[in-house]
Amino acid sequence: MCRNTQRDYRIQQYVDLVIEKMWQLRIFLTEYQGELPSELPMEQKIWLYPEFEQQREQEDEWLDKITRHIARSLRNHYFNGKVITNPVLLADQEFLAIESIVSNNKEALR
C-alpha cells in the first residue's frame, strides 16, 4: 500500500470513528430525559440534538463548521501524539488530505 493510500485510510478511520460516536450520541440523546447542556456551540447542537433534526437536513452552514472542527481536531490529536506516538511535521499536502477526506464525509456527518 502506498504512503498516501495508508494516510488516507487512517484519516478515513478517524472520520468513521467520529461518525460512529455521533450516531451513538444521537441515539442516546433521543432517549435521554434530562436537560441537555446549553453551553455547546449552536453547530454542535444542530449536529447532535434530536430537536434540530429538521434544521440539520435543511441547512449547511453548521455542517461546514463541524467539518472544520473535525479536521482541526485530527490535526491537533496528531500533533499531541494521540494519533501516533512520534508525529512528524505535516506538509500542506497532508493538511489538504485531511480536509478533503473530512469534506467527502459531509453527508454521513449530516
Side-chain angles (χ1 to χ4, degrees):
M1 198 182 290
C2 81
R3 182 177 168 343
N4 287 348
T5 304
Q6 288 177 343
R7 176 203 64 203
D8 293 354
Y9 177 76
R10 293 292 184 201
I11 295 168
Q12 186 61 53
Q13 279 185 312
Y14 182 88
V15 175
D16 289 345
L17 180 62
V18 170
I19 292 167
E20 179 183 335
K21 296 300 179 187
M22 171 197 77
W23 281 110
Q24 289 173 353
L25 189 54
R26 283 183 181 174
I27 290 167
F28 170 79
L29 291 175
T30 59
E31 300 167 0
Y32 183 68
Q33 299 297 316
E35 191 167 321
L36 297 175
S38 61
E39 64 273 356
L40 283 179
M42 183 52 95
E43 64 269 13
Q44 290 180 15
K45 289 179 183 178
I46 295 169
W47 185 38
L48 299 171
Y49 289 5
E51 64 265 27
F52 291 100
E53 185 174 0
Q54 186 174 0
Q55 191 173 353
R56 195 166 41 238
E57 293 299 323
Q58 295 174 349
E59 297 177 9
D60 289 333
E61 184 179 339
W62 69 270
L63 186 55
D64 294 334
K65 290 179 181 179
I66 291 296
T67 56
R68 282 193 302 272
H69 285 305
I70 293 169
R72 271 194 304 259
S73 175
L74 175 55
R75 286 192 307 256
N76 291 340
H77 284 120
Y78 176 85
F79 282 123
N80 292 329
K82 293 179 182 173
V83 174
I84 63 170
T85 48
N86 295 315
V88 295
L89 187 59
L90 296 179
D92 289 343
Q93 179 182 357
E94 278 73 29
F95 288 126
L96 292 174
I98 291 170
E99 291 173 356
S100 174
I101 291 168
V102 173
S103 288
N104 288 341
N105 285 272
K106 272 188 173 181
E107 288 308 309
L109 291 161
R110 186 179 297 275

